[in-house]
PDB file of all heavy atoms in Angstrom:
ATOM      1  N   ARG A 181     -37.158 -19.199  -1.996  1.00 92.00           N
ATOM      2  CA  ARG A 181     -38.062 -18.192  -2.659  1.00 92.00           C
ATOM      3  C   ARG A 181     -38.097 -18.190  -4.160  1.00 92.00           C
ATOM      4  O   ARG A 181     -38.868 -17.614  -4.780  1.00 92.00           O
ATOM      5  CB  ARG A 181     -37.713 -16.807  -2.153  1.00 92.00           C
ATOM      6  CG  ARG A 181     -37.878 -16.568  -0.590  1.00 92.00           C
ATOM      7  CD  ARG A 181     -37.679 -15.099  -0.245  1.00 92.00           C
ATOM      8  NE  ARG A 181     -37.665 -14.981   1.194  1.00 92.00           N
ATOM      9  CZ  ARG A 181     -36.563 -14.812   1.945  1.00 92.00           C
ATOM     10  NH1 ARG A 181     -35.416 -14.881   1.370  1.00 92.00           N
ATOM     11  NH2 ARG A 181     -36.682 -14.701   3.242  1.00 92.00           N
ATOM     12  N   ILE A 182     -37.048 -18.900  -4.723  1.00 94.00           N
ATOM     13  CA  ILE A 182     -36.948 -18.954  -6.192  1.00 94.00           C
ATOM     14  C   ILE A 182     -37.759 -20.096  -6.720  1.00 94.00           C
ATOM     15  O   ILE A 182     -37.568 -21.249  -6.305  1.00 94.00           O
ATOM     16  CB  ILE A 182     -35.446 -19.123  -6.570  1.00 94.00           C
ATOM     17  CG1 ILE A 182     -34.603 -17.935  -6.044  1.00 94.00           C
ATOM     18  CG2 ILE A 182     -35.303 -19.211  -8.078  1.00 94.00           C
ATOM     19  CD1 ILE A 182     -33.121 -18.116  -6.298  1.00 94.00           C
ATOM     20  N   PRO A 183     -38.721 -19.841  -7.644  1.00 95.00           N
ATOM     21  CA  PRO A 183     -39.483 -20.917  -8.178  1.00 95.00           C
ATOM     22  C   PRO A 183     -38.666 -21.960  -8.888  1.00 95.00           C
ATOM     23  O   PRO A 183     -37.767 -21.599  -9.674  1.00 95.00           O
ATOM     24  CB  PRO A 183     -40.388 -20.231  -9.172  1.00 95.00           C
ATOM     25  CG  PRO A 183     -40.447 -18.754  -8.745  1.00 95.00           C
ATOM     26  CD  PRO A 183     -39.093 -18.534  -8.129  1.00 95.00           C
ATOM     27  N   HIS A 184     -38.835 -23.220  -8.587  1.00 97.00           N
ATOM     28  CA  HIS A 184     -38.071 -24.266  -9.263  1.00 97.00           C
ATOM     29  C   HIS A 184     -38.821 -25.575  -9.023  1.00 97.00           C
ATOM     30  O   HIS A 184     -39.616 -25.782  -8.089  1.00 97.00           O
ATOM     31  CB  HIS A 184     -36.646 -24.395  -8.656  1.00 97.00           C
ATOM     32  CG  HIS A 184     -36.569 -24.648  -7.186  1.00 97.00           C
ATOM     33  ND1 HIS A 184     -36.702 -23.635  -6.231  1.00 97.00           N
ATOM     34  CD2 HIS A 184     -36.509 -25.841  -6.519  1.00 97.00           C
ATOM     35  CE1 HIS A 184     -36.551 -24.176  -5.062  1.00 97.00           C
ATOM     36  NE2 HIS A 184     -36.460 -25.513  -5.180  1.00 97.00           N
ATOM     37  N   ARG A 185     -38.505 -26.581  -9.897  1.00 97.00           N
ATOM     38  CA  ARG A 185     -39.120 -27.923  -9.823  1.00 97.00           C
ATOM     39  C   ARG A 185     -38.370 -28.745  -8.770  1.00 97.00           C
ATOM     40  O   ARG A 185     -38.940 -29.329  -7.854  1.00 97.00           O
ATOM     41  CB  ARG A 185     -39.111 -28.533 -11.215  1.00 97.00           C
ATOM     42  CG  ARG A 185     -39.844 -29.889 -11.209  1.00 97.00           C
ATOM     43  CD  ARG A 185     -39.613 -30.605 -12.500  1.00 97.00           C
ATOM     44  NE  ARG A 185     -38.221 -31.083 -12.599  1.00 97.00           N
ATOM     45  CZ  ARG A 185     -37.780 -32.272 -12.189  1.00 97.00           C
ATOM     46  NH1 ARG A 185     -38.585 -33.058 -11.564  1.00 97.00           N
ATOM     47  NH2 ARG A 185     -36.494 -32.607 -12.334  1.00 97.00           N
ATOM     48  N   HIS A 186     -37.040 -28.732  -8.924  1.00 98.00           N
ATOM     49  CA  HIS A 186     -36.186 -29.569  -7.984  1.00 98.00           C
ATOM     50  C   HIS A 186     -34.876 -28.850  -7.753  1.00 98.00           C
ATOM     51  O   HIS A 186     -34.404 -28.133  -8.657  1.00 98.00           O
ATOM     52  CB  HIS A 186     -35.933 -30.994  -8.580  1.00 98.00           C
ATOM     53  CG  HIS A 186     -35.187 -31.885  -7.625  1.00 98.00           C
ATOM     54  ND1 HIS A 186     -35.818 -32.377  -6.495  1.00 98.00           N
ATOM     55  CD2 HIS A 186     -33.945 -32.308  -7.582  1.00 98.00           C
ATOM     56  CE1 HIS A 186     -34.932 -33.157  -5.808  1.00 98.00           C
ATOM     57  NE2 HIS A 186     -33.785 -33.140  -6.494  1.00 98.00           N
ATOM     58  N   LEU A 187     -34.369 -28.943  -6.523  1.00 98.00           N
ATOM     59  CA  LEU A 187     -33.142 -28.328  -6.109  1.00 98.00           C
ATOM     60  C   LEU A 187     -31.934 -29.296  -6.126  1.00 98.00           C
ATOM     61  O   LEU A 187     -32.001 -30.363  -5.548  1.00 98.00           O
ATOM     62  CB  LEU A 187     -33.269 -27.709  -4.721  1.00 98.00           C
ATOM     63  CG  LEU A 187     -32.080 -27.002  -4.149  1.00 98.00           C
ATOM     64  CD1 LEU A 187     -31.668 -25.799  -4.983  1.00 98.00           C
ATOM     65  CD2 LEU A 187     -32.385 -26.478  -2.685  1.00 98.00           C
TER      66      LEU A 187
END
Side-chain angles (χ1 to χ4, degrees):
R181 297 188 186 100
I182 300 174
H184 61 273
R185 188 188 68 88
H186 186 70
L187 178 61

